[in-house]
Amino acid sequence: MMRSTLLPSILPFLLAALVVAPSQAQTDGSGGADADTTATRKLISTDGSVSVFEETTPGEGIEGFWWEFDPEQELARLLDQNRREEVPEPIVDAFGFELSIPDTILALRDSVFAVADSILAETIETAVRFDPKFRSWYTESKDVFVWNNEFDVAVPLTLRGSAIVKVTSKNDFNESTQKFTDNRNLSTSFNYTFQNGFVSSFGVNRTLSLQERGSVRESNSTNTVLTGSVRGTRIFPRVGTLEAGAGLSVNKRDYSNLSTDGISDNFTPNWSVKANRTFATGNVSVDYSGDRGRAKREETITTPTGDFDDNGDPIVNIVTTNADERNLKNQTSLVANWDPNEFNHLRVNGSFARDRFQYLSAADSLRGQQETRRRAAQSVKIAYDTTPFERLDIRSWAEVRQSETSYELETARLTRTTTQAADVNIVYGPWEEGELTVKMFSSVDNREYVSNQSGLVYAQKASADFEQGITPNLTASAAYFITLDAFEFDDPVSNSGDRDLKKQRGLFVVRWTPPVQNLSTALNMDIRQDETINIHPTRSGDNRVDYTYIITPDYSWKIGSASITGNFNADVRYKIFDFRVEDDELTRRFSMGQRWQQQFTPRLSTDVLWNYEYTDLGQYPKDEDGQRRYVRTSELRRLRLDLKLIYNPYQGLKTNVAYRRDADDRFVISEGERVLSSQPRTSEFSFGFIYKRNFTRHVSVDIDFRQSHKAGALATVGDDRFYNIRASIRYQPFREVKDDTP
């Protein structure tokens, strides 16, 4: 497939920002692919871009797994028209049970999605092959039914031109609320490449939306959009690359709901210019885009007065408003990179944006009047990374940004925020088995509102993390974190929320691998102190300090095809008030969890999880002699059992059975007497299967079914027995098939 060459010039830098450095990966247990470390790890599962490995050192990853993410592989999939709609295979452990991808990886994947969307928005496909595709899928969950259909086809017209047609529909129905929605969309685009390298596109998009509840139509709308654009790029010697584009969008929309009927016409030209200059030691890129739109709108609002005429019919008030809306948007950004050598990197980012948007206000006091919203934003960020000498890395940045939003009619909604922030990250490895990481962050927000929320917000963070290998089987790490937040409001009379928040945390971890094959142990200690200081005298009674002490030994042992893991947790929390001694509290919690996983055959695996928790809560006041005593007020005993079984009879079919049971015993303690208050019991049994198969080279089916049965305290009518089903079929008659396609 040929595409226009108008890809964003900053793409390599976006991808570089998405890859987590190996030093960060050692901290999180997740990050970008590192060939040296990956080569020594055993791969457990991958979906092409997200991979999970076994730990080479106990405790280095997340819950026993080392995660890695390849943003370039994910971006390539999203930009491939034959793969972008594929659902990645689930990540599973060595026993076949699905794993939850860490939030750090999910955040990186979302960032790649955003990059792919921006590229596709500026990509014009000019050379395609005839490739019709049809997909239909049905989803049912409890009382919600959803049916989707999708058809798209690319038709080559000439060697330089093509047409792409896509039709989609979605119907969903909620049986409980009787809500029904129907959405249909037809889009057509014609693309052509001129001999001079310019690419053009013309498109028509029509959308119909309908919503009903029972037999009453709540809303209905039709939207027709015509778009056209032309873009080109030129490379000038000694100057750089210049990309320019211009376009036009014409929109017509009819809409109605229970109280409003309207029609709007919109005419918006747009333009963009990009310039990129590459040097031997860096590059500079400038990007400008803008549009200027004009819309005419007529809207009729019908509201009942509450009175009735002589015939008993309700009297309504009808107001028709005509508006001439003029919208404007301009945005400029600058990116400069300088790499004087392999040990230093400087980056400067700057942006400036302005926009004006007019619309009919929906506020009760201004309904039907034309409102104008203006927004302005600018920012400057400087980042500097350096490696002064071996084993020392310093990453730093500083940023200033300002944003303002104002309204002509609702002047009280004015907001203006100025933020100044800086961050420093230092990683120092004085010797091979040790590493020290120091992080510092500071920011100030100046919030100017037309309300009592105006004021200053300060945030400072600092941390130090040191890890040392003592022996080949023994490592220790220690970390200290401190966070200082302060809120200073401009009007202390109407807003007495001025306060300081101080949080301190210390972590200490010892990992020991005894001389027993595949056995690893660890001891984790966590100490926290959180202080809340209210400045205003009327709130000083809430000033308090929270103390937390947690100690958790755990182990992991792999025996043949089985894996046994367990942890024991002791948790003590104090809540100490400065002035209300009678409200002081103490919470004690002990819990333990044991897990057994076994792979009986390559197709049959089981997972058993058992948890027990004991918690008591009570007052912790001081006596007259200054001694504290613990007065228990409640007690909780909780037992949880999870059983899972998966069986894969043949390739493409996965069956699973799960059972869960929760049992709580809750007591109220008064004057030394313990009384049982409740004994909630909950159980859930579910079974299902996942079936994926290519019946031919062009037809594929995907079915996911699960039946659930609940009983006990939390089971309600309609929720005690239900099933979820997702079924889809895809037909692609002219699909190019690789040799390894089943």
Side-chain angles (χ1 to χ4, degrees), residues 284-579:
V284 176
S285 176
V286 181
D287 186 349
Y288 167 74
S289 62
D291 62 59
R292 187 181 187 91
R294 181 171 183 177
K296 292 186 177 181
R297 183 191 304 269
E298 180 180 296
E299 189 171 273
T300 301
I301 301 176
T302 304
T303 56
T305 62
D307 299 327
F308 298 87
D309 59 17
D310 297 337
N311 297 325
D313 297 327
I315 300 176
V316 296
N317 184 28
I318 301 177
V319 177
T320 300
T321 304
N322 291 280
D324 187 0
E325 302 170 356
R326 300 172 185 267
N327 305 319
L328 179 65
K329 181 186 297 184
N330 290 283
Q331 182 173 350
T332 304
S333 63
L334 169 69
V335 179
N337 292 273
W338 183 47
D339 300 307
N341 51 58
E342 60 179 322
F343 305 107
N344 295 274
H345 174 70
L346 177 67
R347 166 185 262 184
V348 179
N349 295 344
S351 65
F352 178 84
R354 293 287 187 273
D355 75 69
R356 181 186 67 203
F357 179 68
Q358 294 183 322
Y359 61 97
L360 294 179
S361 177
D364 293 337
S365 59
L366 303 171
R367 183 176 292 274
Q369 299 185 45
Q370 181 170 286
E371 175 66 282
T372 300
R373 183 195 68 199
R374 289 182 172 86
R375 294 187 301 188
Q378 50 266 345
S379 67
V380 176
K381 183 176 181 179
I382 301 176
Y384 178 62
D385 300 338
T386 182
T387 304
F389 52 84
E390 189 178 2
R391 298 186 180 278
L392 177 62
D393 292 325
I394 302 176
R395 302 168 184 265
S396 60
W397 59 263
E399 180 181 23
V400 178
R401 60 181 182 269
Q402 185 180 63
S403 62
E404 178 179 331
T405 303
S406 62
Y407 298 82
E408 284 192 356
L409 300 181
E410 296 183 86
T411 55
R413 297 179 62 185
L414 170 68
T415 60
R416 184 184 298 111
T417 304
T418 303
T419 301
Q420 303 175 36
D423 181 271
V424 177
N425 186 355
I426 303 173
V427 179
Y428 176 51
W431 49 83
E432 190 139 342
E433 299 298 329
E435 184 176 89
L436 173 65
T437 302
V438 178
K439 298 180 180 181
M440 293 172 285
F441 171 81
S442 178
S443 70
V444 180
D445 283 358
N446 185 0
R447 302 175 179 177
E448 301 177 62
Y449 304 153
V450 187
S451 68
N452 60 3
Q453 296 298 315
S454 291
L456 299 174
V457 178
Y458 300 90
Q460 290 85 33
K461 300 178 183 179
S463 66
D465 185 347
F466 181 75
E467 183 170 354
Q468 176 65 52
I470 302 174
T471 69
N473 296 332
L474 181 64
T475 61
S477 62
Y480 173 74
F481 307 87
I482 183 171
T483 301
L484 303 173
D485 296 329
F487 299 83
E488 297 181 4
F489 296 100
D490 293 341
D491 188 354
V493 177
S494 61
N495 188 342
S496 57
D498 287 13
R499 61 191 182 276
D500 293 336
L501 304 178
K502 180 180 179 181
K503 297 181 179 180
Q504 300 181 77
R505 184 182 183 186
L507 293 174
F508 183 70
V509 181
V510 177
R511 301 185 183 93
W512 178 52
T513 303
V516 178
Q517 187 176 11
N518 297 326
L519 175 62
S520 61
T521 62
L523 177 64
N524 303 270
M525 287 174 282
D526 188 350
I527 302 174
R528 308 174 193 175
Q529 179 177 318
D530 300 340
E531 299 181 44
T532 301
I533 304 173
N534 294 283
I535 308 303
H536 201 276
T538 59
R539 296 196 177 189
S540 60
D542 295 330
N543 292 357
R544 74 170 195 260
V545 182
D546 297 342
Y547 301 92
T548 302
Y549 305 92
I550 304 174
I551 181 170
T552 307
D554 59 59
Y555 71 94
S556 175
W557 193 9
K558 295 182 180 180
I559 309 174
S561 60
S563 174
I564 303 174
T565 58
N567 64 78
F568 306 86
N569 179 276
D571 185 337
V572 179
R573 299 172 186 264
Y574 299 89
K575 184 182 296 185
I576 307 299
F577 288 86
D578 291 351
F579 304 104

Side-chain angles (χ1 to χ4, degrees), residues 136-183:
S136 179
W137 65 101
Y138 172 78
T139 304
E140 182 175 338
S141 177
K142 297 183 181 179
D143 55 355
V144 178
F145 312 90
V146 182
W147 185 25
N148 294 267
N149 293 282
E150 184 177 290
F151 171 79
D152 66 271
V153 58
V155 182
L157 303 178
T158 67
L159 293 177
R160 296 180 178 272
S162 64
I164 300 175
V165 180
K166 185 173 184 178
V167 182
T168 62
S169 68
K170 179 181 179 181
N171 305 97
D172 76 75
F173 176 68
N174 189 310
E175 192 174 27
S176 298
T177 62
Q178 293 296 301
K179 179 182 176 181
F180 170 76
T181 60
D182 181 13
N183 296 284

Side-chain angles (χ1 to χ4, degrees), residues 601-620:
T601 70
R603 297 181 178 181
L604 179 63
S605 299
T606 186
D607 186 355
V608 180
L609 179 63
W610 178 82
N611 284 292
Y612 176 77
E613 175 188 341
Y614 173 85
T615 303
D616 62 2
L617 170 67
Q619 298 175 342
Y620 197 57

Side-chain angles (χ1 to χ4, degrees), residues 583-588 616-621 630-634:
D583 291 336
D584 293 350
E585 294 181 356
L586 169 60
T587 301
R588 302 182 302 186
D616 62 2
L617 170 67
Q619 298 175 342
Y620 197 57
Y630 182 36
V631 182
R632 298 199 307 159
T633 58
S634 64

